Amino acid sequence: MDKLQRADLFRTRLLIAIRRSDTNQSELARRTGIDRSTISQILRDDAARLPNAHVVGACASALGVSADWLLGLSEHPENATDLLANAMTLTNAPRALVDQQIFDWHREAEGYKIRHVPAALPDMLKTNDVLTWEYGRHLGRTTGQAITASANRLAWMRQSASDYEIAMPLFEVQSFVDGTGYYADLPLELRRQQIEHWLNLTKALYPRMRIYLFDARQVYSAPITVFGPLLAVIYLGSNYLAFRDTQRVRAFSDHFDNLVRQSQITARSFPDHLSDLRAALG
């Protein structure tokens, strides 16, 4: 981009910023301390020179945009502080089923590949009985209504245009089948029903949904979800930590791909593995 092109782009973007901020040349001159005649000269169609750094910086600050964007060095009009704030957000995570925030992220990313490392078994594959066992004490009298509402959201997720890849540690599935640890008081019959349900969904949704099991002694992952190229979310327990900048989203995607590469049980072999575990229940 030569000097004339950059000057023209600066003038165009400055006009855009003025309109978006619902201001005018006189108000901009007052807020920046720059003569109105100078502002008018910058905005003339035949202006061939860029203003100095002080004028660029003052206009950017007054209009709430970045100087880099005005100069054509960035495609993001937000200033650095706003970019950082938008790139990483902390959102409340209620102890409940698929809450509105998670559902909104899934809808936003419809059509993209969604990579998911759940905190336990993935909610979208659980039976209503297991959902009630897990969340009932937190939902109280509204358990039935919450299960119904969440079942509708889970059904939408299963039927959406998105591809789902789910990676879990081997011990999580084994613990569920054995009824140990987190699942110690989950009745055997509910575990049997869940395994059947899981097998049916796995076969019906493959290859659009693929499940991998990795050995946590070799590789570790916190609960994360990567919504295509749009955002990546870490589940902290009481909060979601969401990242939207491209570099971090790509890093989370690379991390998930490594889990898949190191998986002991692939998506193709998962149904057979689950069938073997079911047989061991007797």
Side-chain angles (χ1 to χ4, degrees), residues 48-216:
R49 296 180 60 185
L50 283 168
N52 62 38
H54 169 73
V55 172
V56 174
C59 289
S61 178
L63 296 171
V65 297
S66 73
D68 281 353
W69 178 73
L70 288 176
L71 293 170
L73 302 175
S74 168
E75 294 304 312
H76 300 284
E78 300 91 347
N79 58 43
T81 301
D82 289 339
L83 277 174
L84 181 60
N86 292 331
M88 183 176 67
T89 56
L90 193 66
T91 305
N92 183 51
R95 178 60 177 159
L97 296 164
V98 182
D99 59 70
Q100 187 62 46
Q101 178 62 84
I102 285 289
F103 189 52
D104 287 344
W105 283 332
H106 278 273
R107 290 193 296 183
E108 180 185 353
E110 185 178 12
Y112 289 112
K113 179 188 288 187
I114 296 176
R115 301 169 171 96
H116 182 43
V117 181
L121 298 184
D123 281 349
M124 66 185 297
L125 301 180
K126 291 173 183 171
T127 64
N128 285 354
D129 285 336
V130 171
L131 290 172
T132 301
W133 168 83
E134 185 166 9
Y135 295 108
R137 72 194 70 178
H138 304 284
L139 300 174
R141 295 181 180 178
T142 62
T143 298
Q145 295 175 339
I147 293 293
T148 300
S150 291
N152 293 335
R153 291 175 177 177
L154 295 171
W156 181 92
M157 290 160 60
R158 289 194 290 262
Q159 296 168 11
S160 73
S162 299
D163 262 8
Y164 283 90
E165 285 190 332
I166 299 172
M168 295 182 291
L170 278 161
F171 74 80
E172 189 72 41
V173 177
Q174 187 67 58
S175 178
F176 175 84
V177 173
D178 295 340
T180 59
Y182 183 80
Y183 309 100
D185 62 344
L186 181 59
L188 175 61
E189 185 55 33
L190 294 189
R191 284 184 276 132
R192 281 202 180 100
Q193 293 171 4
Q194 175 62 68
I195 293 172
E196 290 295 333
H197 180 68
W198 206 357
L199 272 170
N200 292 335
L201 283 178
T202 301
K203 293 174 182 177
L205 297 177
Y206 182 86
R208 195 170 59 79
M209 186 188 70
R210 301 175 295 281
I211 301 176
Y212 302 85
L213 302 182
F214 59 86
D215 187 347

